[in-house]
Amino acid sequence: MTVAPLDTARAHRVAPGAVLNLEPFSSFAHLELAAVQCTAVDADGMLSCVQPDCARQFKPRLQNQTYCCAACKRADTAEFRAVGLKAARPLLVWRTYRYAKAGTPEKALCGRAMAYLNRLQSGWLNSRKGRTAAALKRQWSRGRVARGPAKPTQKGVLS
Ligand SMILES: [Zn+2]
């Protein structure tokens, strides 16, 4: 499965003048992601789907394939968009007032933005870990996982 290139024209329609043509994180940090091997295949050539509600083991057909199917990729993309919508405003607030003078309302707002982002990140990560663990448990109970479960702390996080 390949990552679709960013539709720059669409990005500029959504946010004219914005620098949304930044490359995907998977390209930007591909060496570091490969070093962490969060989506590395096992000795049998199998990989766990990074969509946390799935976590199904599959044999990747393409290099850098992280989802078992298009439906899982769509589901995760929708989830990423939803989280992005929650994160966008506090990200801007935090970056705008990052160097505000201590004791000002702007600095207080900046602090709340960071607190919100920390809650969002922690909540999302815990949700993904829990959903991955539940998916693996379902697979175990159905006998679909022949070997030890994947480590849910890494799956579905860095796709
Ligand atoms: Zn899947």
Side-chain angles (χ1 to χ4, degrees):
M1 186 174 295
T2 59
V3 176
L6 180 68
D7 181 350
T8 306
R10 182 175 184 276
H12 286 286
R13 281 194 310 274
V14 172
V19 186
L20 293 178
N21 58 355
L22 188 67
E23 64 193 310
F25 181 68
S26 58
S27 298
F28 181 75
H30 74 277
L31 292 176
E32 291 80 5
L33 286 168
V36 173
Q37 296 183 338
C38 56
T39 57
V41 294
D42 66 12
D44 301 325
M46 300 296 279
L47 181 69
S48 291
C49 179
V50 297
Q51 204 287 331
D53 297 313
C54 175
R56 185 172 68 91
Q57 295 208 327
F58 67 101
K59 192 166 194 110
R61 292 170 307 200
L62 303 169
Q63 187 179 14
N64 299 326
Q65 181 178 353
T66 55
Y67 298 100
C68 69
C69 63
C72 281
K73 183 177 181 180
R74 277 193 306 275
D76 230 20
T77 299
E79 182 176 317
F80 276 46
R81 282 191 177 118
V83 172
L85 284 172
K86 285 190 174 284
R89 189 165 188 203
L91 281 170
L92 284 174
V93 165
W94 177 80
R95 192 65 184 93
T96 300
Y97 299 116
R98 181 177 174 190
Y99 300 110
K101 203 178 226 181
T104 63
E106 290 82 3
K107 192 67 173 180
L109 178 60
C110 179
R112 290 302 285 172
M114 183 48 67
Y116 183 86
L117 289 168
N118 285 332
R119 288 179 62 185
L120 178 64
Q121 291 174 61
S122 296
W124 189 29
L125 180 60
N126 287 335
S127 167
R128 290 183 72 90
K129 285 179 181 178
R131 290 158 47 210
T132 299
L136 289 170
K137 189 175 179 181
R138 284 192 304 273
Q139 290 175 30
W140 270 93
S141 67
R142 295 176 189 153
R144 292 185 181 162
V145 178
R147 57 182 178 72
K151 295 175 182 169
T153 55
Q154 295 180 3
K155 301 296 176 188
V157 175
L158 302 173
S159 59

